[in-house]
Amino acid sequence: MNPEPATSAEVLIVGGGLGGVAAALAALRRGRSVLMTEETEWVGGQLTSQGVPPDEHPWIEQFGCTRSYRALREAIRAYYRTWYPLTEEALSRPDLNPGEGRVSRLCHEPRVAAAVLDAMLAPYIATERLRVLYGHRPVAAAVDGDRITGVTVADPSGRTRELTAPFVIDATELGDLLPLAGAEHVTGFESRRRTGEPSAPEEDQPANMQAFSWVFAVDHRPGEDHTIDRPAGYSAWARYQPPGWPNPLISLTAPDPRTLETVPRTFVPNVDSGPVVADQSKDPGDKDLWVFRRILSRRVLRPGFAESDVTVVNWPMIDYMVGPIIGTSEEERAKHLDGARELSLSMLYWLQTEAPRPDGGTGWPGLRPHGGAMGTGDGLAKAPYIRESRRIEARRTVVEQDLSLAVRGAHGAVRYPDSVGIGMYRIDLHPSTGGDTYIDVASCPFQIPLGALIPVRLRNLLSASKNIGTTHITNGCYRLHPVEWNVGEVAGALAAHCLANHLEPEQVHATERLLQDFQDDLVRDGVELAWPEIKGY
């Protein structure tokens, strides 16, 4: 009989997304024991189970991320160099981009990232300093005054157990621990009177949240027919036209997020894209949909090894904006999750049967759902791609005017004295459940304030994902891969630092000397606290 997994540790991390993994590694490097839960079979969140290759700024190869995030990127490249039959040219490239996609300088298969993250955690699992409870989600929390004393998690069968630790980190995708623990938090769109943000509405809109998407992967086998069964709701989805959208959602035409002009996209499987340069400061790269999020390119592999590229469909056309999955009943949540899957399958069916081809015909029946990349049977990701979470009422909240290029200009983003990292991305808000179209605002390279990770009241809870103290608007640039990793790394480091020095997070944040000591610890561990002089976009 297998022994029961440990139910206590020095640091409890609820949620095994990118932030959760980074938090675990940071605490483990500092000698702490960690217990982590994860709802799916893969750790890594948006990078793995949600199927999204990293969205990154153009300087990522030189600076602008933590040392451990860079180690993750290089380990992914090393995996391909070690195990894939790469061409000599691809092997020689220090900046190998396995997918040659335009969204990122490192487009890769989610399955590979999951294997690399598992390898990074493996030494700690082997020595039992880390326990990971897969297939577990939080269902309750015990609180004594301003401290979380236990978190109850449930496995897929409904069996529960209580987990305890001196420090608890919420790294769930939706901030699921916040309402369970009674943590003060917000959802949706804050009002301008609350935040002062130029792009905010006049009134709070707590149910107005960014669309989420159920991503899928495909390859193309000419001469074969891989057409899926027609989804039950296909007719309705084929007619569906969101508010402010220029045409039905399922098509190859959508607004340009930055200008809102109607722009046709192209989609040609295995198109010869030529040399690919990924630089979102110059071009978001989303006009050629096959190349946009391509995660495995035949050109980097020895001739004849692969019959097709593999690409990820994470396009405007599968953004599910009908309703939120936060703050709803279980029945409503299930309805929207099912709806998102059906929308994605409807897009796939349309591509296979009705999409226009350059030769004047319609449909690409050789498009094949690629389950291998996603670790699933149907090619869909294991979990939906989440853009927006519940967010803590934090000791410092990042607002639009802190980093908007239009507001800050040559001054650059606000410099936070409690900086614990840096990031860069445009404020990129997808269409929302409240009927908003894109809100896409140029931003300045920004810092991550420690106060955004610390709740206003609960003393042993830290945020480590998209649930930090941002607003609906600034979440749009803090939600991407390198920033989530940085946030999680700091949360794990802070928990370990407090344990070692008998401190509480609020003390570290509020006391200049203690804050400096912690920042020095982060710098030694490879965390960048400030940007060089560069301009935003």
Side-chain angles (χ1 to χ4, degrees):
M1 183 174 180
N2 293 327
E4 283 288 305
T7 56
S8 64
E10 292 174 300
V11 180
L12 169 60
I13 302 171
V14 184
L18 269 183
V21 173
L25 289 169
L28 290 161
R29 286 196 300 270
R30 290 165 174 80
R32 298 298 158 183
S33 62
V34 175
L35 183 57
M36 182 164 67
T37 69
E38 164 55 31
E39 284 195 50
T40 72
E41 303 90 357
W42 282 355
V43 296
Q46 58 178 323
L47 191 66
T48 60
S49 60
Q50 297 175 27
V52 180
D55 288 288
E56 300 171 327
H57 58 73
W59 308 284
I60 195 72
E61 302 288 345
Q62 291 79 40
F63 49 81
C65 67
T66 72
R67 182 190 300 151
S68 66
Y69 184 77
R70 182 157 287 115
L72 167 63
R73 299 177 86 253
E74 290 310 308
I76 290 170
R77 285 178 169 143
Y79 189 101
Y80 281 95
R81 294 187 185 109
T82 301
W83 301 113
Y84 280 59
L86 301 181
T87 65
E88 290 301 319
E89 194 277 335
L91 272 171
S92 69
R93 291 188 64 89
D95 60 346
L96 172 65
N97 188 348
E100 294 188 307
R102 289 208 167 100
V103 73
S104 169
R105 298 187 182 205
L106 183 59
C107 289
H108 55 80
E109 299 154 274
R111 181 183 53 77
V112 170
V116 169
L117 290 171
D118 280 346
M120 295 174 79
L121 296 174
Y124 304 105
I125 293 174
T127 54
E128 298 189 342
R129 293 171 54 196
L130 169 67
R131 296 274 191 167
V132 182
L133 299 181
Y134 291 96
H136 283 70
R137 62 185 180 88
V139 294
V143 179
D144 183 4
D146 293 337
R147 287 188 175 279
I148 298 175
T149 58
V151 176
T152 301
V153 296
D155 67 16
S157 71
R159 187 179 65 170
T160 63
R161 63 177 59 142
E162 186 177 50
L163 312 177
T164 61
F167 284 93
V168 180
I169 295 174
D170 184 349
T172 59
E173 298 299 322
L174 295 171
D176 290 330
L177 193 54
L178 304 183
L180 298 177
E184 291 80 2
H185 65 278
V186 297
T187 64
F189 213 159
E190 299 93 337
S191 66
R192 189 176 305 146
R193 69 165 59 97
R194 180 198 291 249
T195 66
E197 295 173 302
S199 301
E202 291 301 320
E203 303 294 333
D204 286 340
Q205 299 175 2
N208 187 4
M209 304 171 203
Q210 284 194 76
F212 66 96
S213 305
W214 214 302
V215 173
F216 61 94
V218 292
D219 65 3
H220 184 247
R221 303 301 177 102
E224 300 178 11
D225 188 347
H226 294 282
T227 305
I228 63 172
D229 292 339
R230 179 184 169 106
Y234 177 74
S235 295
W237 282 119
R239 296 191 305 269
Y240 176 65
Q241 185 167 341
W245 211 259
N247 45 260
L249 186 62
I250 293 182
S251 70
L252 295 180
T253 301
D256 182 292
R258 301 184 185 184
T259 66
L260 299 184
E261 295 176 359
T262 300
V263 177
R265 271 67 164 179
T266 61
F267 178 78
V268 180
N270 292 315
V271 63
D272 182 5
S273 58
V276 170
V277 177
D279 185 345
Q280 293 201 29
S281 68
K282 297 181 174 63
D283 180 358
D286 62 346
K287 303 307 183 289
D288 181 338
L289 293 175
W290 183 266
V291 179
F292 179 37
R293 293 184 182 270
R294 185 170 54 189
I295 55 174
L296 185 63
S297 170
R298 293 176 301 165
R299 298 194 316 172
V300 306
L301 301 171
R302 292 175 191 162
F305 185 79
E307 296 182 46
S308 174
D309 302 336
V310 182
T311 197
V312 162
V313 176
N314 178 20
W315 308 339
M317 302 79 172
I318 65 164
D319 280 2
Y320 184 87
M321 57 197 87
V322 177
I325 53 175
I326 293 174
T328 62
S329 67
E330 283 297 315
E331 183 181 17
E332 275 289 298
R333 184 175 185 274
K335 181 185 80 171
H336 292 314
L337 289 171
D338 289 344
R341 288 180 64 91
E342 187 175 66
L343 169 58
S344 293
L345 290 171
S346 294
M347 184 70 205
L348 173 58
Y349 183 79
W350 181 84
L351 290 169
Q352 293 172 323
T353 60
E354 296 188 51
R357 300 196 311 258
D359 64 3
T362 56
W364 303 91
L367 275 182
R368 184 180 68 158
H370 199 285
M374 295 294 186
T376 60
D378 58 9
L380 271 71
K382 291 177 180 290
Y385 174 39
I386 302 299
R387 296 185 176 90
E388 186 169 342
S389 169
R390 301 173 181 89
R391 302 178 296 281
I392 59 168
E393 292 275 9
R395 293 183 177 272
R396 183 187 294 272
T397 299
V398 179
V399 292
E400 180 184 3
Q401 55 271 30
D402 284 358
L403 52 89
S404 163
L405 185 59
V407 173
R408 299 292 302 176
H411 296 287
V414 168
R415 292 169 176 81
Y416 302 120
D418 60 338
S419 173
V420 289
I422 57 177
M424 174 60 201
Y425 207 73
R426 288 175 68 91
I427 294 174
D428 171 23
L429 298 180
H430 283 235
S432 72
T433 57
D436 295 321
T437 187
Y438 291 97
I439 299 175
D440 196 290
V441 177
S443 61
C444 304
F446 53 81
Q447 295 176 324
I448 303 167
L450 179 60
L453 282 64
I454 303 175
V456 292
R457 182 179 57 83
L458 289 174
R459 297 160 64 187
N460 67 333
L461 174 67
L462 295 168
S463 291
S465 187
K466 303 176 190 72
N467 54 356
I468 63 171
T470 56
T471 64
H472 172 82
I473 292 173
T474 56
N475 164 72
C477 57
Y478 275 72
R479 65 180 172 83
L480 287 310
H481 303 66
V483 177
E484 183 183 345
W485 182 277
N486 193 150
V487 165
E489 184 168 346
V490 170
L494 181 57
H497 184 84
C498 288
L499 285 164
N501 295 282
H502 308 289
L503 296 169
E504 294 192 347
E506 189 278 333
Q507 290 176 283
V508 176
H509 182 246
T511 308
E512 184 176 353
R513 176 182 59 81
L514 298 178
L515 175 61
Q516 184 65 58
D517 287 346
F518 179 58
Q519 289 172 318
D520 290 345
D521 174 40
L522 293 176
V523 171
R524 285 190 296 270
D525 207 31
V527 177
E528 299 175 22
L529 303 187
W531 283 95
E533 291 298 321
I534 55 175
K535 188 178 179 181
Y537 57 90

